[in-house]
Amino acid sequence: MDSPLVHFVTDFNLMDISQKYNMTPKQQMDDDPTSPNSNTSPWSQDLDLESGEHVVVGAPKFYSCGAHGYQNKSKRRRIITVVQRQAANVRERKRMFSLNEAFDELRRKVPTFAYEKRLSRIDTLRLAIVYISFMTDLLEQTSHSSPM
DNA sequence: TAGGCCATCTGGTCCT
DNA sequence: AGGACCAGATGGCCTA
């Protein structure tokens, strides 16, 4: 750890991104990044895509429309079965899981040692932006000041 | 108790 | 047709 970075982190903690961005440093749940109810795999329920085995599902029920109940809209609508809906839910859970993995990776990249609690996603993004700006400035300064 | 954060579900849209 | 992506809704948990 070298001094500019250490200063960045300490300065950052002194000013507190929450203040800087007009937020409150809240924090959630526990250490597990996956979910609050994380004792199970995020996509362990409903449908096992690998085996293709449907856990719940009965006869061909259909989801068709209607955001908020109105069913007779002129827009074309995709009719999907319960099985398809469940499979889509599983895919969405996986997608969100990978998104959270990316957030965790980003959390590890930004200097936050003075933070006791895990950064929220929005704080992580904001801190990353500030950190990148800081490093860019630092790079420019050093390139200007260093002799050829 | 209100507000913040998050996971999950869901339907719409775009793309292959 | 089906998957990926997105945004809105909802409900749970946590903290001030």
Short mmCIF file of all heavy atoms in Angstrom, two decimals, chain C:
data_model
loop_
_atom_site.label_atom_id
_atom_site.label_comp_id
_atom_site.label_asym_id
_atom_site.label_seq_id
_atom_site.Cartn_x
_atom_site.Cartn_y
_atom_site.Cartn_z
P DA C 1 -44.34 -19.06 -31.96
OP1 DA C 1 -45.19 -20.06 -32.59
OP2 DA C 1 -44.84 -17.96 -31.13
"O5'" DA C 1 -43.15 -19.79 -31.19
"C5'" DA C 1 -42.60 -21.02 -31.69
"C4'" DA C 1 -41.30 -21.27 -30.97
"O4'" DA C 1 -40.29 -20.32 -31.42
"C3'" DA C 1 -41.38 -21.12 -29.46
"O3'" DA C 1 -40.55 -22.10 -28.86
"C2'" DA C 1 -40.85 -19.71 -29.21
"C1'" DA C 1 -39.83 -19.55 -30.32
N9 DA C 1 -39.69 -18.18 -30.82
C8 DA C 1 -40.68 -17.27 -31.11
N7 DA C 1 -40.24 -16.12 -31.56
C5 DA C 1 -38.87 -16.28 -31.55
C6 DA C 1 -37.81 -15.42 -31.92
N6 DA C 1 -38.01 -14.19 -32.39
N1 DA C 1 -36.55 -15.89 -31.81
C2 DA C 1 -36.36 -17.13 -31.35
N3 DA C 1 -37.27 -18.03 -30.98
C4 DA C 1 -38.51 -17.53 -31.10
P DG C 2 -40.69 -22.31 -27.33
OP1 DG C 2 -40.61 -23.77 -27.12
OP2 DG C 2 -41.83 -21.53 -26.80
"O5'" DG C 2 -39.34 -21.65 -26.80
"C5'" DG C 2 -38.12 -22.02 -27.41
"C4'" DG C 2 -37.02 -21.09 -26.95
"O4'" DG C 2 -37.16 -19.82 -27.63
"C3'" DG C 2 -37.05 -20.76 -25.45
"O3'" DG C 2 -35.72 -20.78 -24.97
"C2'" DG C 2 -37.63 -19.35 -25.40
"C1'" DG C 2 -37.04 -18.78 -26.69
N9 DG C 2 -37.71 -17.60 -27.22
C8 DG C 2 -39.06 -17.36 -27.28
N7 DG C 2 -39.36 -16.21 -27.82
C5 DG C 2 -38.13 -15.66 -28.14
C6 DG C 2 -37.82 -14.42 -28.76
O6 DG C 2 -38.58 -13.54 -29.15
N1 DG C 2 -36.44 -14.26 -28.90
C2 DG C 2 -35.49 -15.17 -28.51
N2 DG C 2 -34.21 -14.84 -28.71
N3 DG C 2 -35.77 -16.33 -27.93
C4 DG C 2 -37.11 -16.51 -27.79
P DG C 3 -35.41 -20.96 -23.47
OP1 DG C 3 -34.87 -22.32 -23.28
OP2 DG C 3 -36.58 -20.50 -22.68
"O5'" DG C 3 -34.22 -19.93 -23.25
"C5'" DG C 3 -33.14 -19.94 -24.16
"C4'" DG C 3 -32.43 -18.60 -24.15
"O4'" DG C 3 -33.25 -17.64 -24.86
"C3'" DG C 3 -32.20 -18.03 -22.75
"O3'" DG C 3 -30.86 -17.55 -22.68
"C2'" DG C 3 -33.22 -16.90 -22.63
"C1'" DG C 3 -33.38 -16.46 -24.09
N9 DG C 3 -34.67 -15.86 -24.40
C8 DG C 3 -35.90 -16.41 -24.18
N7 DG C 3 -36.88 -15.64 -24.57
C5 DG C 3 -36.25 -14.52 -25.08
C6 DG C 3 -36.80 -13.34 -25.65
O6 DG C 3 -37.99 -13.05 -25.83
N1 DG C 3 -35.81 -12.45 -26.04
C2 DG C 3 -34.47 -12.67 -25.90
N2 DG C 3 -33.66 -11.69 -26.33
N3 DG C 3 -33.94 -13.76 -25.37
C4 DG C 3 -34.89 -14.64 -24.99
P DA C 4 -30.29 -16.94 -21.38
OP1 DA C 4 -28.90 -17.41 -21.27
OP2 DA C 4 -31.25 -17.16 -20.26
"O5'" DA C 4 -30.28 -15.39 -21.71
"C5'" DA C 4 -29.59 -14.92 -22.86
"C4'" DA C 4 -29.57 -13.41 -22.88
"O4'" DA C 4 -30.87 -12.92 -23.27
"C3'" DA C 4 -29.25 -12.76 -21.53
"O3'" DA C 4 -28.41 -11.63 -21.76
"C2'" DA C 4 -30.62 -12.36 -21.00
"C1'" DA C 4 -31.40 -12.07 -22.28
N9 DA C 4 -32.83 -12.36 -22.21
C8 DA C 4 -33.43 -13.48 -21.70
N7 DA C 4 -34.73 -13.47 -21.78
C5 DA C 4 -35.03 -12.26 -22.39
C6 DA C 4 -36.23 -11.65 -22.77
N6 DA C 4 -37.43 -12.22 -22.58
N1 DA C 4 -36.17 -10.45 -23.35
C2 DA C 4 -34.98 -9.90 -23.54
N3 DA C 4 -33.76 -10.36 -23.23
C4 DA C 4 -33.86 -11.57 -22.66
P DC C 5 -27.80 -10.84 -20.56
OP1 DC C 5 -26.47 -10.35 -20.97
OP2 DC C 5 -27.97 -11.64 -19.32
"O5'" DC C 5 -28.78 -9.60 -20.46
"C5'" DC C 5 -29.02 -8.83 -21.64
"C4'" DC C 5 -30.11 -7.80 -21.37
"O4'" DC C 5 -31.40 -8.47 -21.38
"C3'" DC C 5 -30.00 -7.10 -20.02
"O3'" DC C 5 -29.93 -5.70 -20.24
"C2'" DC C 5 -31.28 -7.51 -19.28
"C1'" DC C 5 -32.22 -7.85 -20.43
N1 DC C 5 -33.30 -8.80 -20.11
C2 DC C 5 -34.62 -8.47 -20.42
O2 DC C 5 -34.86 -7.38 -20.96
N3 DC C 5 -35.61 -9.34 -20.13
C4 DC C 5 -35.32 -10.50 -19.55
N4 DC C 5 -36.33 -11.34 -19.29
C5 DC C 5 -33.98 -10.87 -19.23
C6 DC C 5 -33.01 -9.99 -19.52
P DC C 6 -29.62 -4.72 -19.08
OP1 DC C 6 -28.79 -3.64 -19.62
OP2 DC C 6 -29.19 -5.48 -17.89
"O5'" DC C 6 -31.07 -4.14 -18.76
"C5'" DC C 6 -31.85 -3.65 -19.84
"C4'" DC C 6 -33.26 -3.35 -19.34
"O4'" DC C 6 -33.99 -4.59 -19.22
"C3'" DC C 6 -33.30 -2.68 -17.98
"O3'" DC C 6 -33.89 -1.40 -18.12
"C2'" DC C 6 -34.14 -3.61 -17.11
"C1'" DC C 6 -34.87 -4.47 -18.13
N1 DC C 6 -35.18 -5.84 -17.67
C2 DC C 6 -36.51 -6.28 -17.67
O2 DC C 6 -37.39 -5.50 -18.06
N3 DC C 6 -36.79 -7.53 -17.25
C4 DC C 6 -35.81 -8.34 -16.86
N4 DC C 6 -36.13 -9.57 -16.44
C5 DC C 6 -34.45 -7.91 -16.84
C6 DC C 6 -34.19 -6.66 -17.26
P DA C 7 -33.75 -0.35 -16.98
OP1 DA C 7 -33.40 0.93 -17.61
OP2 DA C 7 -32.92 -0.90 -15.89
"O5'" DA C 7 -35.25 -0.25 -16.44
"C5'" DA C 7 -36.31 -0.21 -17.38
"C4'" DA C 7 -37.63 -0.47 -16.66
"O4'" DA C 7 -37.78 -1.89 -16.42
"C3'" DA C 7 -37.75 0.22 -15.30
"O3'" DA C 7 -39.08 0.69 -15.16
"C2'" DA C 7 -37.46 -0.91 -14.31
"C1'" DA C 7 -38.03 -2.11 -15.05
N9 DA C 7 -37.43 -3.40 -14.69
C8 DA C 7 -36.12 -3.66 -14.42
N7 DA C 7 -35.87 -4.92 -14.15
C5 DA C 7 -37.11 -5.53 -14.26
C6 DA C 7 -37.54 -6.86 -14.10
N6 DA C 7 -36.72 -7.86 -13.77
N1 DA C 7 -38.85 -7.12 -14.27
C2 DA C 7 -39.67 -6.12 -14.60
N3 DA C 7 -39.39 -4.84 -14.78
C4 DA C 7 -38.08 -4.60 -14.60
P DG C 8 -39.45 1.70 -14.00
OP1 DG C 8 -39.95 2.91 -14.67
OP2 DG C 8 -38.36 1.76 -13.01
"O5'" DG C 8 -40.69 0.96 -13.31
"C5'" DG C 8 -41.74 0.47 -14.13
"C4'" DG C 8 -42.62 -0.46 -13.32
"O4'" DG C 8 -41.96 -1.75 -13.21
"C3'" DG C 8 -42.90 0.01 -11.89
"O3'" DG C 8 -44.28 -0.16 -11.63
"C2'" DG C 8 -42.04 -0.89 -11.02
"C1'" DG C 8 -41.96 -2.17 -11.86
N9 DG C 8 -40.75 -2.96 -11.66
C8 DG C 8 -39.46 -2.50 -11.68
N7 DG C 8 -38.57 -3.45 -11.48
C5 DG C 8 -39.33 -4.60 -11.32
C6 DG C 8 -38.94 -5.94 -11.06
O6 DG C 8 -37.80 -6.39 -10.93
N1 DG C 8 -40.03 -6.79 -10.97
C2 DG C 8 -41.33 -6.40 -11.10
N2 DG C 8 -42.26 -7.36 -10.97
N3 DG C 8 -41.73 -5.15 -11.33
C4 DG C 8 -40.67 -4.31 -11.43
P DA C 9 -44.87 0.28 -10.25
OP1 DA C 9 -46.22 0.82 -10.52
OP2 DA C 9 -43.88 1.07 -9.48
"O5'" DA C 9 -45.04 -1.13 -9.51
"C5'" DA C 9 -45.69 -2.19 -10.19
"C4'" DA C 9 -45.81 -3.39 -9.26
"O4'" DA C 9 -44.56 -4.10 -9.26
"C3'" DA C 9 -46.12 -3.04 -7.80
"O3'" DA C 9 -47.14 -3.90 -7.33
"C2'" DA C 9 -44.79 -3.25 -7.08
"C1'" DA C 9 -44.11 -4.32 -7.94
N9 DA C 9 -42.66 -4.25 -7.95
C8 DA C 9 -41.88 -3.16 -8.19
N7 DA C 9 -40.59 -3.39 -8.16
C5 DA C 9 -40.51 -4.75 -7.90
C6 DA C 9 -39.42 -5.63 -7.76
N6 DA C 9 -38.14 -5.25 -7.85
N1 DA C 9 -39.69 -6.92 -7.50
C2 DA C 9 -40.97 -7.31 -7.40
N3 DA C 9 -42.07 -6.58 -7.52
C4 DA C 9 -41.77 -5.29 -7.77
P DT C 10 -47.76 -3.66 -5.90
OP1 DT C 10 -49.17 -4.06 -5.98
OP2 DT C 10 -47.38 -2.31 -5.42
"O5'" DT C 10 -46.98 -4.73 -5.01
"C5'" DT C 10 -46.86 -6.07 -5.49
"C4'" DT C 10 -45.98 -6.87 -4.55
"O4'" DT C 10 -44.60 -6.66 -4.88
"C3'" DT C 10 -46.15 -6.51 -3.08
"O3'" DT C 10 -46.44 -7.67 -2.35
"C2'" DT C 10 -44.80 -5.92 -2.69
"C1'" DT C 10 -43.87 -6.60 -3.68
N1 DT C 10 -42.60 -5.88 -3.96
C2 DT C 10 -41.42 -6.62 -3.93
O2 DT C 10 -41.38 -7.81 -3.68
N3 DT C 10 -40.29 -5.90 -4.21
C4 DT C 10 -40.22 -4.55 -4.50
O4 DT C 10 -39.15 -4.01 -4.74
C5 DT C 10 -41.49 -3.84 -4.52
C7 DT C 10 -41.51 -2.40 -4.82
C6 DT C 10 -42.61 -4.55 -4.25
P DG C 11 -47.09 -7.55 -0.90
OP1 DG C 11 -48.33 -8.35 -0.90
OP2 DG C 11 -47.10 -6.13 -0.48
"O5'" DG C 11 -46.01 -8.33 -0.01
"C5'" DG C 11 -45.39 -9.49 -0.52
"C4'" DG C 11 -44.06 -9.71 0.20
"O4'" DG C 11 -43.05 -8.88 -0.39
"C3'" DG C 11 -44.09 -9.36 1.69
"O3'" DG C 11 -43.44 -10.38 2.41
"C2'" DG C 11 -43.33 -8.03 1.76
"C1'" DG C 11 -42.33 -8.22 0.63
N9 DG C 11 -41.78 -6.99 0.08
C8 DG C 11 -42.45 -5.83 -0.21
N7 DG C 11 -41.68 -4.89 -0.69
C5 DG C 11 -40.42 -5.48 -0.73
C6 DG C 11 -39.18 -4.95 -1.16
O6 DG C 11 -38.93 -3.83 -1.62
N1 DG C 11 -38.15 -5.88 -1.02
C2 DG C 11 -38.30 -7.16 -0.54
N2 DG C 11 -37.21 -7.91 -0.47
N3 DG C 11 -39.46 -7.66 -0.14
C4 DG C 11 -40.47 -6.77 -0.26
P DG C 12 -43.52 -10.48 3.98
OP1 DG C 12 -44.24 -11.72 4.29
OP2 DG C 12 -43.98 -9.18 4.52
"O5'" DG C 12 -41.99 -10.66 4.38
"C5'" DG C 12 -41.17 -11.53 3.61
"C4'" DG C 12 -39.71 -11.27 3.95
"O4'" DG C 12 -39.25 -10.12 3.19
"C3'" DG C 12 -39.46 -10.95 5.42
"O3'" DG C 12 -38.32 -11.67 5.86
"C2'" DG C 12 -39.24 -9.44 5.44
"C1'" DG C 12 -38.64 -9.19 4.06
N9 DG C 12 -38.91 -7.85 3.54
C8 DG C 12 -40.13 -7.24 3.41
N7 DG C 12 -40.07 -6.04 2.91
C5 DG C 12 -38.72 -5.85 2.67
C6 DG C 12 -38.03 -4.73 2.12
O6 DG C 12 -38.51 -3.65 1.72
N1 DG C 12 -36.66 -4.94 2.05
C2 DG C 12 -36.03 -6.08 2.46
N2 DG C 12 -34.71 -6.10 2.32
N3 DG C 12 -36.65 -7.14 2.97
C4 DG C 12 -38.00 -6.95 3.04
P DC C 13 -38.00 -11.75 7.41
OP1 DC C 13 -37.61 -13.15 7.69
OP2 DC C 13 -39.08 -11.08 8.18
"O5'" DC C 13 -36.70 -10.84 7.52
"C5'" DC C 13 -35.62 -11.06 6.63
"C4'" DC C 13 -34.61 -9.95 6.77
"O4'" DC C 13 -35.09 -8.78 6.07
"C3'" DC C 13 -34.36 -9.52 8.23
"O3'" DC C 13 -32.96 -9.54 8.47
"C2'" DC C 13 -34.94 -8.11 8.30
"C1'" DC C 13 -34.86 -7.64 6.86
N1 DC C 13 -35.86 -6.63 6.47
C2 DC C 13 -35.45 -5.44 5.86
O2 DC C 13 -34.25 -5.27 5.68
N3 DC C 13 -36.38 -4.51 5.52
C4 DC C 13 -37.67 -4.74 5.74
N4 DC C 13 -38.55 -3.82 5.37
C5 DC C 13 -38.12 -5.96 6.34
C6 DC C 13 -37.19 -6.86 6.69
P DC C 14 -32.41 -9.32 9.92
OP1 DC C 14 -31.23 -10.21 10.10
OP2 DC C 14 -33.52 -9.36 10.89
"O5'" DC C 14 -31.89 -7.82 9.85
"C5'" DC C 14 -31.03 -7.44 8.79
"C4'" DC C 14 -30.80 -5.94 8.83
"O4'" DC C 14 -31.96 -5.26 8.32
"C3'" DC C 14 -30.55 -5.40 10.23
"O3'" DC C 14 -29.36 -4.63 10.21
"C2'" DC C 14 -31.78 -4.54 10.53
"C1'" DC C 14 -32.25 -4.14 9.13
N1 DC C 14 -33.70 -3.89 9.02
C2 DC C 14 -34.14 -2.69 8.44
O2 DC C 14 -33.29 -1.88 8.04
N3 DC C 14 -35.46 -2.44 8.34
C4 DC C 14 -36.34 -3.36 8.77
N4 DC C 14 -37.64 -3.08 8.65
C5 DC C 14 -35.91 -4.59 9.38
C6 DC C 14 -34.60 -4.81 9.47
P DT C 15 -28.66 -4.19 11.57
OP1 DT C 15 -27.23 -4.50 11.45
OP2 DT C 15 -29.45 -4.71 12.71
"O5'" DT C 15 -28.83 -2.61 11.55
"C5'" DT C 15 -28.54 -1.91 10.34
"C4'" DT C 15 -29.06 -0.49 10.43
"O4'" DT C 15 -30.49 -0.47 10.21
"C3'" DT C 15 -28.83 0.19 11.79
"O3'" DT C 15 -28.38 1.50 11.54
"C2'" DT C 15 -30.21 0.17 12.43
"C1'" DT C 15 -31.10 0.31 11.21
N1 DT C 15 -32.50 -0.21 11.34
C2 DT C 15 -33.53 0.54 10.82
O2 DT C 15 -33.37 1.60 10.27
N3 DT C 15 -34.77 -0.02 11.00
C4 DT C 15 -35.07 -1.22 11.62
O4 DT C 15 -36.22 -1.62 11.70
C5 DT C 15 -33.93 -1.96 12.12
C7 DT C 15 -34.14 -3.27 12.82
C6 DT C 15 -32.71 -1.41 11.97
P DA C 16 -27.62 2.33 12.67
OP1 DA C 16 -26.24 2.54 12.19
OP2 DA C 16 -27.87 1.68 13.98
"O5'" DA C 16 -28.37 3.73 12.65
"C5'" DA C 16 -28.66 4.35 11.40
"C4'" DA C 16 -29.77 5.36 11.57
"O4'" DA C 16 -31.04 4.66 11.68
"C3'" DA C 16 -29.65 6.24 12.83
"O3'" DA C 16 -30.08 7.56 12.52
"C2'" DA C 16 -30.62 5.58 13.81
"C1'" DA C 16 -31.69 5.04 12.87
N9 DA C 16 -32.38 3.86 13.37
C8 DA C 16 -31.85 2.80 14.05
N7 DA C 16 -32.72 1.85 14.35
C5 DA C 16 -33.90 2.34 13.84
C6 DA C 16 -35.21 1.81 13.82
N6 DA C 16 -35.53 0.64 14.37
N1 DA C 16 -36.18 2.54 13.23
C2 DA C 16 -35.84 3.72 12.68
N3 DA C 16 -34.65 4.31 12.62
C4 DA C 16 -33.72 3.57 13.22
#
